[in-house]
Amino acid sequence: MKLIRHPADRWPVAYTLMVAVVQAALFAWVEPLWLAALLVLAFQPVQAVAIACNHYQHHKPVFFAAPLNRLYELLLFFQTGTPPFLITLHHNLGHHKHYLEPPRDTLRWQADDGRPYPWPVVMWRNAWGHLTWTVALGRRFPKIYRRLKLWTTVGLLVLAALVAWDPAKAAVVFLLPMLLQVLNVARLGYDQHAGLDMDDHLTASRNNESRLYNLVTFNSGYHTAHHLKPGLHWSELPAFHAEIRDGIPEELRGEA
């Protein structure tokens, strides 16, 4: 019986499990709080790759069975701060649907005068907007919103149990990194879109063609290709990027 839809998804699943094991080890076995905090901080660049795993999961679910997808998304919740179905609303139906219309885009990088907000302002607006803008979208998509509320409750109950077990350790190993990764999502979106020409898909995203970057982030550097075909599996993005590459301005291709 096949569990995973696409063979390439074994890698993001394995990566997510690795991060979960490290988090569990830090929580259960590292006694000095200062040492746990130091190790958690050092681990954040590694943990940040879970953002890509979570992102692709909400575009093309990894598993055939819905319960396995929800379990996978709960693990990713503790790594990224975003529970099951939040990305479906905030990112898929908010950002992807409206990214060429900055006032309606849930990234909200553009001020009223058309200029990009300063980076710290976008970080703050998105940290709060993950809640408020998602709620607003949820009222338009009640079926998805009900699922979001259900699975957020499940995730928060598990998180509450961890906090009850060891409040300080739970804050260091889970709560603070979750908040950092929510801010990291906003930073990534800002870097990919802020200040660009939104009149055309080919001029609206920054890309990164670095082989190392795309190996580590599961081809997240091919952002124009992803926006043109958000349902395309991440393993197929390099080939599609090659097809459209000549139409992307050179300054938006990133390093090779």
Side-chain angles (χ1 to χ4, degrees):
M1 178 181 173
K2 290 181 65 176
L3 297 179
I4 293 179
R5 295 175 186 270
H6 196 293
D9 282 328
R10 291 175 295 179
W11 299 110
V13 169
Y15 199 96
T16 300
L17 291 174
M18 178 274 292
V19 173
V21 167
V22 172
Q23 286 182 301
L26 290 170
F27 183 79
W29 296 329
V30 179
E31 290 299 331
L33 190 61
W34 68 268
L35 180 58
L38 187 63
L39 292 172
V40 165
L41 185 62
F43 190 61
Q44 286 316 288
V46 179
Q47 184 170 330
V49 176
I51 293 171
C53 302
N54 200 27
H55 170 233
Y56 291 127
Q57 166 65 10
H58 285 79
H59 280 290
K60 290 189 77 69
V62 165
F63 297 99
F64 285 103
L68 287 177
N69 282 317
R70 301 296 85 79
L71 178 61
Y72 182 50
E73 290 159 14
L74 283 174
L75 286 178
L76 287 164
F77 166 56
F78 286 94
Q79 298 172 21
T80 67
T82 53
F85 295 103
L86 188 145
I87 289 180
T88 306
L89 282 173
H90 186 276
H91 179 75
N92 296 10
L93 296 170
H95 175 59
H96 270 275
K97 192 172 182 179
H98 300 294
Y99 88 109
L100 296 181
E101 310 167 271
R104 302 181 67 189
D105 181 4
T106 46
L107 182 58
R108 297 290 205 282
W109 60 264
Q110 191 180 79
D112 292 340
D113 60 7
R115 292 181 297 180
Y117 281 113
W119 180 80
V121 174
V122 173
M123 297 303 99
W124 165 248
R125 284 166 59 83
N126 275 270
W128 183 244
H130 258 69
L131 173 63
T132 57
W133 300 332
T134 301
V135 169
L137 279 165
R139 295 191 179 111
R140 292 167 48 198
F141 301 95
K143 183 177 180 180
I144 298 173
Y145 191 37
R146 285 194 296 271
R147 292 174 178 175
L148 169 63
K149 289 188 286 186
L150 170 63
W151 288 101
T152 299
T153 301
V154 173
L156 290 177
L157 285 173
V158 177
L159 185 59
L162 293 170
V163 170
W165 183 2
D166 190 331
K169 190 73 72 65
V172 166
V173 175
F174 295 107
L175 290 172
L176 182 58
M178 289 163 78
L179 176 59
L180 290 175
Q181 297 308 334
V182 168
L183 293 173
N184 201 11
V185 169
R187 179 193 64 81
L188 288 167
Y190 185 86
D191 290 346
Q192 289 161 343
H193 296 293
L196 296 183
D197 177 8
M198 295 292 147
D199 292 331
D200 188 295
H201 288 285
L202 296 177
T203 62
S205 301
R206 294 182 180 90
N207 298 273
N208 188 332
E209 295 182 327
S210 162
R211 291 185 180 182
L212 177 60
Y213 179 85
N214 284 294
L215 176 66
V216 170
T217 66
F218 306 106
N219 295 328
S220 292
Y222 304 116
H223 205 64
T224 299
H226 173 64
H227 267 287
L228 282 169
K229 291 187 177 181
L232 191 66
H233 193 268
W234 63 266
S235 64
E236 299 171 10
L237 288 172
F240 183 49
H241 175 80
E243 292 178 20
I244 64 172
R245 187 178 187 273
D246 289 345
I248 301 172
E250 185 176 357
E251 65 273 15
L252 299 182
R253 295 177 194 164
E255 60 179 283

